[in-house]
Amino acid sequence: MSDTNAPWLIVGLGNPGPGYAANRHNVGFMVADLLADRIGGSFKRAQKTQAQVLEGRIGAPGPSNRRVVIAKPMSYMNLSGGPVTALRDFYKVPTENIVAVHDELDIDYGTLRLKLGGGDNGHNGLKSMTKAMGCDYHRVRFGIGRPPGRMQVADFVLKDFSSAERKELDYFVDRAADAVECLVIDGLERAQGTYNS
């Protein structure tokens, strides 16, 4: 069991810049932004790392209260491993206390799956993280579905959510943020039982 006093590092994966902000590939940033809003803080540039961070606490006062660092790597998706590893080392976060929130092609839109470890399933952000520090971190996988017709995967993930998807996006992002909080406070098994749909 991990040290209950150790902080958790919640990493929303995405690409920096306004041109990417509403892309499917940036749903990790969207969840990170919502978690930051709930804590009531704003991101600041982390010293010596290519990331924006917010330090805070989640959970009710008492034994379930957890210290968290919410991070958005500013390195572009394919190079996420460097900033995440630097933050892990700086904040002394055990690898099993890292949560990557990311888009997942092989899951229907809006569906969540939480897990510890595993492969990267072709996701370049996870690939970079795993190469940098191994695969023993948590993932909150946010389903975006497969591209329609013959659209290339790269084109699909770098497009904004469709107007139909946007009608439910806030709800699904809110649910993903709830899932992250449940994972950190109550553990993986409880979070999976509640949010794996």
Side-chain angles (χ1 to χ4, degrees):
M1 193 65 193
S2 62
D3 173 10
T4 53
N5 295 317
W8 283 76
L9 175 59
I10 300 164
V11 181
L13 292 179
N15 286 307
Y20 296 102
N23 288 181
R24 292 182 178 94
H25 221 19
N26 269 43
V27 75
F29 274 17
M30 297 173 196
V31 175
D33 286 337
L34 179 56
L35 288 165
D37 285 346
R38 289 180 179 184
I39 287 173
S42 54
F43 286 96
K44 63 179 191 294
R45 195 72 183 227
Q47 288 185 326
K48 299 179 184 170
T49 66
Q50 281 184 288
Q52 290 185 349
V53 297
L54 169 64
E55 296 176 55
R57 301 191 83 88
I58 61 174
S64 67
N65 193 261
R66 298 283 181 266
R67 189 158 64 98
V68 295
V69 179
I70 302 168
K72 298 192 294 185
M74 294 285 119
S75 57
Y76 290 96
M77 183 70 84
N78 299 4
L79 301 171
S80 300
V84 176
T85 305
L87 291 169
R88 177 198 67 181
D89 294 347
F90 180 78
Y91 288 104
K92 297 178 173 54
V93 179
T95 304
E96 68 270 18
N97 277 24
I98 297 173
V99 183
V101 185
H102 63 91
D103 56 306
E104 178 65 63
L105 286 159
D106 288 334
I107 303 175
D108 291 341
Y109 173 62
T111 300
L112 295 177
R113 292 273 192 282
L114 287 75
K115 69 175 189 172
L116 174 63
D120 56 56
N121 206 19
H123 192 288
N124 289 326
L126 296 181
K127 199 176 287 182
S128 177
M129 284 180 61
T130 296
K131 186 176 177 189
M133 61 187 190
C135 66
D136 296 328
Y137 54 90
H138 288 88
R139 297 100 191 275
V140 174
R141 304 154 72 203
F142 186 111
I144 60 168
R146 300 295 302 184
R150 295 185 176 173
M151 185 187 288
Q152 294 294 313
V153 165
D155 295 334
F156 179 69
V157 300
L158 293 175
K159 280 199 172 4
D160 290 358
F161 285 101
S162 70
S163 55
E165 288 169 336
R166 281 198 297 272
K167 288 180 181 145
E168 296 182 291
L169 183 59
D170 287 348
Y171 168 75
F172 289 138
V173 168
D174 193 65
R175 194 163 180 272
D178 290 346
V180 171
E181 291 182 345
C182 184
L183 167 61
V184 170
I185 295 165
D186 298 319
L188 179 61
E189 203 172 308
R190 176 85 176 270
Q192 285 175 325
T194 307
Y195 294 98
N196 276 14
S197 42

